[in-house]
Amino acid sequence: MTENPTRLRADARRNREQIIITAREIFLEQGIHAPLEEIARRAGIGIATLYRRFPDRHTLVQQVALDTLTLVGEELDRATTAHPDAWGALAQLIRRLVESRLSVLMPVLLPGLEEDARSEGGTLKARRDQLFEQMEQLTRTAQQEGRLRQGINPIDIWLGVIKLSRPLPVIGAELNELITGRQLELFLGGLHTTALDASEPLRRQPLTLDKLDRCLKTAE
């Protein structure tokens, strides 16, 4: 059972938030099987404090996943507030997700959705599906505006963002940033309709959310 952060003392709440932030950083670097001792050390707490907040690895991974989805939702809300047009909001969201690298975690964290649905009332899966519905509405509106290519769906966008967010090995942070910025603009250009016939659909069938879940389950 995950504790309710609203009931914690201020210092305990800060510890909990720092653990989640640090765990997300280390999971990005090393995967979800990274040593919990390393997470505690980098968070500046003892391992006993980590276990008081999160009794096992599964609980911590689930909370990092939920926190990540919350941050993605906040970026989506900020983008739609900042832009009256759907394409402007979508472009801002894509840029922010690539910059923050939040989406890199999702292929690692989300295969546990089925277990989440059984054991914890489906909080994680419900939040993921809610975000998907919001993204689906945003993409449909951008297509109705004539700004987003027909045949694009949220899965196409999520997977593109995930690939763009992964740094190339060896070459270093500065060069990675330059390459990612260039590839991001190429990706946005491919989604936009100005450089092509807006009525021209993609040649391949889109990947659906159900099919993605089945593929993730098979890969476990």
Side-chain angles (χ1 to χ4, degrees), residues 4-206:
N4 185 344
T6 62
R7 297 178 181 176
L8 297 175
R9 299 189 319 271
D11 58 338
R13 187 162 57 249
R14 282 193 299 271
N15 284 341
R16 186 178 189 278
E17 291 170 354
Q18 188 58 45
I19 291 168
I20 293 171
I21 292 169
T22 305
R24 182 166 59 245
E25 293 172 352
I26 292 180
F27 289 163
L28 277 169
E29 297 169 4
Q30 305 177 29
I32 61 172
H33 299 294
L36 297 183
E37 291 79 6
E38 170 67 10
I39 295 172
R41 184 193 65 77
R42 199 182 298 184
I45 61 169
I47 188 64
T49 300
L50 185 148
Y51 278 119
R52 276 200 299 274
R53 304 279 79 87
F54 303 98
D56 52 45
R57 181 182 301 275
H58 171 75
T59 303
L60 177 58
V61 169
Q62 291 284 78
Q63 191 57 49
V64 170
L66 185 58
D67 185 70
T68 299
L69 288 174
T70 298
L71 292 173
V72 171
E74 290 172 355
E75 291 294 349
L76 177 58
D77 290 341
R78 274 193 285 270
T80 54
T81 299
H83 295 273
D85 64 301
W87 169 255
L90 190 60
Q92 175 177 314
L93 177 64
I94 291 170
R95 287 193 174 97
R96 283 293 301 131
L97 292 181
V98 170
E99 180 183 329
S100 66
R101 297 180 63 207
L102 287 172
S103 57
V104 174
L105 281 171
M106 301 323 295
V108 177
L109 297 173
L110 292 185
L113 285 171
E114 186 174 340
E115 182 178 353
D116 164 76
R118 291 196 304 267
S119 64
E120 299 181 20
T123 303
L124 181 58
K125 185 175 187 301
R127 182 61 180 134
R128 191 281 307 264
D129 291 350
Q130 180 188 25
L131 278 175
F132 181 84
E133 290 176 6
Q134 290 177 270
M135 283 287 294
E136 203 167 34
Q137 178 60 51
L138 191 62
T139 55
R140 281 199 303 266
T141 304
Q143 286 163 342
Q144 291 166 0
E145 293 172 351
R147 308 281 302 281
L148 176 67
R149 184 175 183 174
Q150 296 297 322
I152 298 290
N153 73 7
I155 298 297
D156 298 317
I157 295 170
W158 280 117
L159 294 180
V161 167
I162 288 168
K163 285 181 172 293
L164 284 168
S165 302
R166 291 185 179 277
L168 295 173
V170 181
I171 65 173
E174 184 177 356
L175 186 52
N176 258 305
E177 186 176 347
L178 291 173
I179 291 172
T180 299
R182 173 72 171 172
Q183 295 299 312
L184 173 57
E185 294 311 310
L186 290 172
F187 179 62
L188 288 170
L191 295 176
H192 202 253
T193 58
T194 54
L196 43 81
D197 180 358
S199 65
E200 181 185 351
L202 294 175
R203 295 179 182 179
R204 293 179 180 269
Q205 290 297 312

